Amino acid sequence: MAATSGEIENSSNSKEKKLKLYSYWKSSCSHRVRIALNLKELDYEYIPVNLLKGEHLSPEFKKLNPIGYVPVLVDGDFAISDSSAICMYIEEKYPQNPLLPEDLQRKAINYQAANIVSSSIQSLQNLAVLNYIAEKAGPDETLPWAQFHIRKGFTALEEFLKDYAGKYATGDQVTLADVFLAPQIYSAIKRFNLDMSQFPLLSRLNEAYCEIPAFRDAMPENQLDTPSAATS
Ligand SMILES: N[C@@H](CCC(=O)N[C@@H](CS)C(=O)NCC(=O)O)C(=O)O
């Protein structure tokens, strides 16, 4: 897998300053950062971290991110993890194609939408949580658990975004809310078999995302580490 801290030191000494993204093809948090990097038209090196093999729990990886989650972005000799923090970092460092609107209230709505996805949906259905539920309550309990939390979050998003949505989640520009929503809707449909008929706004947004190359290129089926069985 993955670089060790030694390799990071080497990279800081080298002339190569390209960004490195530690990512897993199916990870929705990595998916967010892939979209953000693509929207900013930033070139990056993709470093696969296989969650199913536990590579994120290795001591080498935990030197990059002590909590043992992907994604991690390495910029020269600086490593930053957590998709929200990474998005804020690249937003400030690379101001082209802004992810946040100027208007303060619309900006706050973007934070609200992104935080519902990351704090009230995805964090309740990540691999560690689902493995824990499978162990304590049985493997059949993981899907209803995940669906319950996705539905709850989607119901809230559907309700409050209707006052702000245009072509995209908070207007006619792609912004941070879209960067977080697209992977969550994608995984709700493909991984958690969620019936999206109750969520017409989110379904319409999902169709709009599928038209954007920066979103399409970031999809799980288009990554370096996507297994061939998942690409057909
Ligand atoms: N808040 C973190 C969450 C990161 C996270 O949950 N990553 C997942 C993949 S989407 C992961 O590494 N899971 C491994 C595990 O649950 O053990 C972020 O937004 O980056």
Side-chain angles (χ1 to χ4, degrees), residues 38-175:
N38 291 348
L39 287 170
K40 298 245 173 221
E41 298 171 7
L42 293 168
D43 195 20
Y44 65 92
E45 183 182 346
Y46 186 106
I47 303 184
V49 181
N50 190 324
L51 300 189
L52 296 184
K53 291 187 182 161
E55 290 179 349
H56 57 304
L57 303 175
S58 69
E60 292 79 19
F61 185 78
K62 283 193 167 178
K63 282 183 202 157
L64 286 174
N65 184 5
I67 201 165
Y69 289 146
V70 289
V72 175
L73 185 78
V74 175
D75 182 8
D77 56 2
F78 176 65
I80 175 86
S81 42
D82 195 293
S83 58
S84 302
I86 296 170
C87 287
M88 292 301 101
Y89 175 76
I90 62 172
E91 175 72 347
E92 289 203 32
K93 179 155 182 188
Y94 307 99
Q96 70 271 22
N97 306 332
L99 299 175
L100 288 168
E102 288 283 317
D103 177 78
L104 179 61
Q105 291 187 357
R106 222 161 264 269
K107 199 185 282 186
I109 290 298
N110 270 271
Y111 294 142
Q112 184 178 349
N115 284 339
I116 286 182
V117 170
S118 69
S119 306
S120 303
I121 304 179
Q122 184 275 333
S123 56
L124 295 166
Q125 42 110 102
N126 74 7
L127 189 62
V129 170
L130 295 184
N131 284 345
Y132 186 87
I133 288 170
E135 191 189 315
K136 300 288 176 192
D140 293 345
E141 296 305 318
T142 60
L143 185 62
W145 167 275
Q147 288 178 335
F148 172 82
H149 290 288
I150 298 169
R151 251 188 239 110
K152 185 174 177 193
F154 278 10
T155 302
L157 287 160
E158 185 83 16
E159 174 61 25
F160 85 87
L161 286 176
K162 71 179 186 320
D163 296 334
Y164 298 93
K167 187 167 181 197
Y168 303 110
T170 68
D172 290 330
Q173 303 298 320
V174 168
T175 53

Side-chain angles (χ1 to χ4, degrees), residues 186-203:
Y186 179 101
S187 78
I189 296 170
K190 302 248 184 189
R191 186 170 160 208
F192 296 111
N193 298 322
L194 196 82
D195 173 10
M196 289 294 291
S197 60
Q198 302 163 53
F199 308 112
L201 172 58
L202 298 183
S203 300

Side-chain angles (χ1 to χ4, degrees), residues 6-37:
E7 281 166 313
I8 290 174
E9 279 161 29
N10 289 341
S11 80
S12 72
N13 293 335
S14 79
K15 291 199 173 72
E16 176 71 74
K17 284 294 177 198
K18 199 160 84 168
L19 297 166
K20 294 177 202 282
L21 179 66
Y22 289 76
S23 169
Y24 180 58
W25 67 284
K26 223 175 170 179
S27 144
S28 67
C29 306
S30 305
H31 187 171
R32 297 169 194 159
V33 176
R34 297 193 298 255
I35 295 171
L37 291 167

